[in-house]
Amino acid sequence: MPEEFLGCKEELLRPGERLTELSSTAFARGEGLNGCSDEFLEETGLCVSDSRGGPYPHKWDQATLGP
C-alpha cells in the first residue's frame, strides 16, 4: 500500500470533477495515530466541480489488516 501515496498532486474523478492540491501520508502500525491497522493511508486535498463549484475539502482514508 505505501506506493499508493506516491501519486499525483491532481486527479480527475470524472469529466468536470477533479481533486487538486493532493497530499498523502502513510503510517505503519504504531506510527502516528495508527494503533489498529497494519497500514493506514490518508489523502487530503480539494475537490473542484464544473457543475457544483468548489473548491471543497476532500479527505480519503484507507486501512489494511493482514496481507
Side-chain angles (χ1 to χ4, degrees), residues 28-52:
R29 185 185 298 265
E31 295 180 341
L33 298 176
N34 181 16
C36 300
S37 63
D38 289 333
E39 294 178 308
F40 180 79
L41 173 66
E42 177 181 84
E43 177 183 78
T44 59
L46 300 172
C47 181
V48 180
S49 170
D50 290 347
S51 61
R52 296 184 189 110

Side-chain angles (χ1 to χ4, degrees), residues 2-48:
E3 66 276 2
E4 293 183 40
F5 78 92
L6 298 174
C8 302
K9 296 292 181 189
E10 187 168 316
E11 293 178 25
L12 179 66
L13 290 177
R14 58 188 62 85
E17 194 169 283
R18 66 191 185 284
L19 300 175
T20 63
E21 299 183 32
L22 292 174
S23 176
S24 301
T25 307
F27 298 105
R29 185 185 298 265
E31 295 180 341
L33 298 176
N34 181 16
C36 300
S37 63
D38 289 333
E39 294 178 308
F40 180 79
L41 173 66
E42 177 181 84
E43 177 183 78
T44 59
L46 300 172
C47 181
V48 180

